[in-house]
Amino acid sequence: MPAEPVAPPAVTDDDPGGRTARRLVAVVAIAAVLPVLYWPGRVHNFFDLKIYMRAMDWWAAGHPLYDYVQPDRVQGALYFTYPPFAALLLRPFALLPLGVTVAIFTVLTLLGVVLTTWWLVRPVLDRHDLHRGFPLVVAVLLVLAVESTRETLTFGQINMLLVVLILADLLFAVPGGRRWAGLGVGLATAVKLFPGIFILYLLATRRWRAALLASATAALATLLAAAVAPADSWRFWTHELWATDRVGRTDYTGNQSLFGLLSRLTVPEKPAQVPWLLLVLAVTGYGLWRAARAARAGDALAGLTLTGLVGGLVSPITWTHHLYWFIPAVVVLVDATLDSGRDTPAGVRRRRWLLTLAVGTTFVIIYGVVTFEDWGITPVRTDDPGEFVARNAYVLLSLLLLVVLPTRRPARAPGTPGNVHQLDRSRD
């Protein structure tokens, strides 16, 4: 009787050693690119942080805080422009040696990058049953590669610390109905006015208690600063707040707001106020409408991301280091790509579109608009279409994402069919 044929052993591509080696090579390759990306920023030499500390020394010597001025070859003159409450928080650092202050701000920013990336990426990995270690390391390295992060670190900015407050509030406290929901947004708004857009987001999503607490927190912090420095507080809120020329040239390429885009079209004249205000109203209304729709659908990350993009567009001055919000936008796009249908032609096309948008956004925010481009120090009107796109890349990308960023539906309860983080097929 002939022997039974023996089936060949199953062929698998399970090669833990090879997979680990490939992952190590990928991590080393990304890490090796970081010095190249950071090299042009060495000239910043913690420029902004040094302005803060010199302004604090000036203030401690008895001079009016907002009289401090420092010459700059690009902007002409730079001043201390933060609200008085921010000055109260910064003043103790002036008692330390500058090198110690630089080290503290750098370490806190790096910790903020790791923490916020964990908050953004971990839920995506868990929903798709992916291992955490390697993707998280790659994600942190990519966030460090983004121009907004590089500018924050090399200028010595405080943006990442404010992002921690905002994300802790809007990703955890507000969706969870915590009693302290709104506190982080309020504190961030008292330190820097940009986060105030998230109070409007809380109102748009009908989070009345959180919006009230955020407003009250910002007001109490402002009143505290007014009690300590009444003259400086009065001057800031009645005059300096409205003097955009104190922050720098609005036409400079680093200003990636709608007002910056218009300024680059009209320089040396200033843009007309009425068209700009109409644009601001339209973008704010549409953007917050989309953000509220996303929040009501259960996608808090998409909601706050859209709000951050709105804030960057409508602020008169939005420097590149303010634009952290492209990072969560990429996370939303990647997650939506993983959830997009694979079995139908429409699903395949949508998946390719989302992946292309995620990769394209990542490329733009890593290359940036100012790191590798010398736009000169003389105001020059933008006439060439190619230059218009290059000089306004973040503005145009923000407008695009404001329209096409998908809203993801929340995961079904455990045990129900199709327990995945489903993508809303519509844009809303």
Side-chain angles (χ1 to χ4, degrees):
M1 185 173 182
E4 292 284 337
V6 179
V11 179
T12 68
D13 57 357
D14 186 12
D15 180 11
R19 183 169 61 249
T20 300
R22 290 191 295 271
R23 289 178 173 179
L24 182 60
V25 169
V27 168
V28 171
I30 298 173
V33 174
L34 289 180
V36 177
L37 296 173
Y38 275 83
W39 182 254
R42 75 195 188 283
V43 298
H44 299 333
N45 195 25
F46 305 101
F47 184 79
D48 289 358
L49 183 56
K50 289 178 179 178
I51 290 181
Y52 304 158
M53 295 303 101
R54 289 166 187 160
M56 294 305 100
D57 291 337
W58 168 272
W59 194 30
H63 302 293
L65 174 61
Y66 296 102
D67 276 354
Y68 178 79
V69 60
Q70 180 169 310
D72 180 70
R73 73 182 188 91
V74 176
Q75 307 289 357
L78 295 175
Y79 303 81
F80 185 82
T81 57
Y82 285 179
F85 181 69
L88 293 186
L89 299 180
L90 289 169
R91 187 160 176 172
F93 289 98
L95 302 176
L96 303 174
L98 180 61
V100 174
T101 300
V102 167
I104 291 173
F105 271 67
T106 301
V107 170
L108 289 177
T109 298
L110 291 173
L111 290 175
V113 167
V114 174
L115 181 62
T116 53
T117 305
W118 167 264
W119 288 346
L120 296 179
V121 174
R122 181 182 57 82
V124 177
L125 300 177
D126 290 348
R127 279 196 298 274
H128 299 287
D129 296 322
L130 300 173
H131 294 293
R132 293 179 177 178
F134 173 68
L136 281 171
V137 171
V138 171
V140 168
L141 291 174
L142 289 175
V143 172
L144 288 173
V146 171
E147 184 178 63
S148 63
T149 308
R150 302 197 306 265
E151 296 279 285
T152 294
L153 281 165
T154 55
F155 272 112
Q157 272 286 342
I158 64 174
N159 301 297
M160 188 54 63
L161 308 181
L162 303 182
V163 167
V164 170
L165 290 174
I166 294 167
L167 291 188
D169 214 349
L170 298 182
L171 286 180
F172 303 107
V174 172
R178 303 290 191 270
R179 294 180 62 85
W180 51 275
L183 182 65
V185 169
L187 285 174
T189 303
V191 173
K192 201 168 185 176
L193 299 177
F194 185 101
I197 189 68
F198 293 100
I199 298 180
L200 296 182
Y201 168 67
L202 291 173
L203 292 172
T205 55
R206 300 179 183 178
R207 303 281 190 168
W208 309 120
R209 188 179 184 280
L212 179 61
L213 181 57
S215 302
T217 301
L220 288 173
T222 300
L223 290 174
L224 173 63
V228 175
D232 290 309
S233 294
W234 177 260
R235 177 174 171 181
F236 176 82
W237 294 107
T238 60
H239 182 267
E240 309 305 341
L241 171 62
W242 316 104
T244 56
D245 58 327
R246 288 177 56 91
V247 183
R249 278 175 31 210
T250 59
D251 68 284
Y252 177 57
T253 305
N255 178 21
Q256 288 292 302
S257 67
L258 288 170
F259 195 75
L261 181 149
L262 295 175
S263 296
R264 287 185 281 277
L265 292 175
T266 63
V267 71
E269 289 79 23
K270 290 185 177 180
Q273 293 293 310
V274 172
W276 172 63
L277 289 174
L278 291 175
L279 275 175
V280 166
L281 289 174
V283 168
T284 303
Y286 176 74
L288 290 181
W289 173 75
R290 284 218 64 215
R293 289 284 298 269
R296 286 196 296 272
D299 196 343
L301 181 57
L304 71 88
T305 299
L306 290 164
T307 305
L309 295 173
V310 169
L313 287 167
V314 303
S315 174
I317 301 286
T318 300
W319 300 129
T320 52
H321 50 260
H322 296 160
L323 290 170
Y324 168 85
W325 309 105
F326 290 125
I327 293 169
V330 171
V331 174
V332 170
L333 289 169
V334 170
D335 191 17
T337 300
L338 293 173
D339 278 337
S340 193
R342 307 180 185 183
D343 299 331
T344 65
V348 171
R349 287 195 298 271
R350 183 175 180 82
R351 185 180 177 87
R352 288 174 179 171
W353 155 246
L354 290 170
L355 181 60
T356 300
L357 186 56
V359 172
T361 299
T362 302
F363 173 80
V364 170
I365 63 178
I366 287 178
Y367 183 82
V369 296
V370 295
T371 300
F372 300 103
E373 300 293 338
D374 182 10
W375 299 110
I377 61 176
T378 304
V380 178
R381 182 173 297 184
T382 303
D383 296 321
D384 178 77
E387 187 176 274
F388 174 82
V389 172
R391 294 190 71 184
N392 299 290
Y394 289 165
V395 183
L396 301 176
L397 182 58
S398 295
L399 291 170
L400 175 64
L401 291 172
L402 208 59
V403 176
V404 304
L405 190 73
T407 295
R408 306 158 303 160
R409 289 175 180 164
R412 295 186 177 93
T416 59
N419 181 27
V420 294
H421 195 78
Q422 296 292 331
L423 174 68
D424 186 343
R425 296 292 179 181
S426 71
R427 285 199 303 248
D428 304 313

